[in-house]
Amino acid sequence: MTENLPSFFPYEEIKLYKICDASIGSDIYQLFQLCIKKFFSQDYKLAEEVCDELVDIIWERLNTGHWSQVTITWRQLYTLVSLIKAGAMLAHGQGKPQDALTVCDLGLVMGAPIMDNILNRLASYIHTNLLKDKPKPQDSKNYEEFKTKKQKMHNIIIKHPIQLVDCLSLESFKRLYMDSNQPVIFNGAMDHWPAMSNNKWSLDYLRKVAGERLVPIEVGSRYTDDSWSQTLITISQFIDGYICAKSPGETGYLAQHQLFDQIPELRSDICIPDYCCLSEGTEDEEPVINAWFGPEGTVSPLHYDPKHNFLAQVVGEKYVRLYDPQYTDALYPHTGCILENTSQVDVEAVDQESYPLFSSAPYTECVLKSGQMLYIPPKYWHYIRSLATSFSVSFWWS
Ligand SMILES: O=C(O)CCC(=O)C(=O)O
């Protein structure tokens, strides 16, 4: 309908979209119809204004109560309104494409995919084709440092090493590790990933494919601290402010974010480990893939997750310590709050008086290096500190 929008913009699907949930309420439904009407009569300015009104109302709903209670209909509606708003902004061509990209990314972070992940495709299109003044790559010289600041030597002495293997058949992995809940590190299991070839994930590259994309950043030393918070900034801002920061400041961590659902270029640089096909879930259940990108010194406090996990180290190194779930009582989990899967103990500075049993709990540990992949069984406690600027990818699977 307008040359400012890409040919894949789904006009027909938007027109035919049915909100099939009465709980949305007739006010919002009518506002939504008005938004569609204005968009298709090319009154883009008014369409944008109605979208803003809808976004405010839906945002309120998305942020009320626990995230797990938010219904998919509200999240899909948020995506749809973000799509129309970004479409209106581009179509009427007066704003900056960067603003339309921000709208898409907010929709991707808070919404749920619709129409073959259209918001994802529109965001990639804007990033690749419409941003004229992307910051110039300036980090090439920093790459070696980015890759392994480990040269600083951390003097970590590994007393209780996690088993290391070079290659394992699916059957051996299942029998020796998965069925008996034993962690193991794989050497070389990621050698075929495009991300591992020629140090592909340099800072320049990340800026190029994703620099202007908005991502959630955890700010603060660890998520158990009172001062810990979250913010949304672009990847380039994150690199400038936290990865390449000249003076020491607060730690920023792009942690546990499904970046690969947001940025297809990065998704095509990684491969789902074959072992995930040993899933006990339904056949087409894909692992949840998270990115963990941060400077030296990020800490994930001792905690456990319910699923099998492969933690793949692409760039840099991390110190990892693991505790078998049978020692849970000696690890002093928080009680009566959402941190029940998290220990109260600071693993590397234990308060012996408050947590006397902690030091008696056996553990295994490693420095996880670039190219290595660690299998963490379900409910296994893990503590992780980055020893250098680091980029890891985790695969959680049932
Ligand atoms: O690498 C990290 O900082 C934490 C990773 C983690 O907790 C996980 O993969 O479940």
Side-chain angles (χ1 to χ4, degrees), residues 115-139:
M115 302 173 191
D116 195 17
N117 218 343
I118 175 63
L119 217 44
N120 184 319
R121 289 183 285 137
L122 184 61
S124 285
Y125 169 83
I126 299 172
H127 197 274
T128 311
N129 299 298
L130 303 185
L131 297 187
K132 297 273 181 282
D133 31 278
K134 283 188 224 162
K136 298 252 175 325
Q138 48 191 268
D139 304 306

Side-chain angles (χ1 to χ4, degrees), residues 277-341:
C277 75
L278 297 168
S279 169
E280 294 135 13
T282 53
E283 260 170 41
D284 51 3
E285 203 178 310
E286 290 272 307
V288 173
I289 310 178
N290 278 308
W292 307 81
F293 174 34
E296 174 185 349
T298 58
V299 171
S300 290
L302 185 62
H303 71 284
Y304 70 82
D305 302 298
K307 299 200 168 191
H308 297 272
N309 184 1
F310 282 113
L311 183 64
Q313 192 63 20
V314 181
V315 175
E317 299 187 340
K318 279 176 164 170
Y319 172 72
V320 181
R321 188 171 311 174
L322 302 178
Y323 290 85
D324 189 302
Q326 66 177 298
Y327 303 113
T328 296
D329 287 347
L331 307 183
Y332 301 91
H334 285 268
T335 49
C337 60
I338 52 163
L339 290 179
E340 274 169 356
N341 71 338

Side-chain angles (χ1 to χ4, degrees), residues 48 105 117 171 189 286 295 338 365 396:
E48 250 187 79
D105 276 328
N117 218 343
E171 193 278 327
E286 290 272 307
I338 52 163
E365 59 189 340
W396 291 345

Side-chain angles (χ1 to χ4, degrees), residues 4 13 17 21 42 51 86 94 113 122 136 236 272 276 291 299 325 338 341 362 366:
N4 291 349
E13 279 131 300
Y17 195 86
D21 188 340
Q42 301 188 10
C51 284
Q94 277 162 16
L122 184 61
K136 298 252 175 325
S236 280
I272 295 177
C276 295
V299 171
I338 52 163
N341 71 338
C366 71

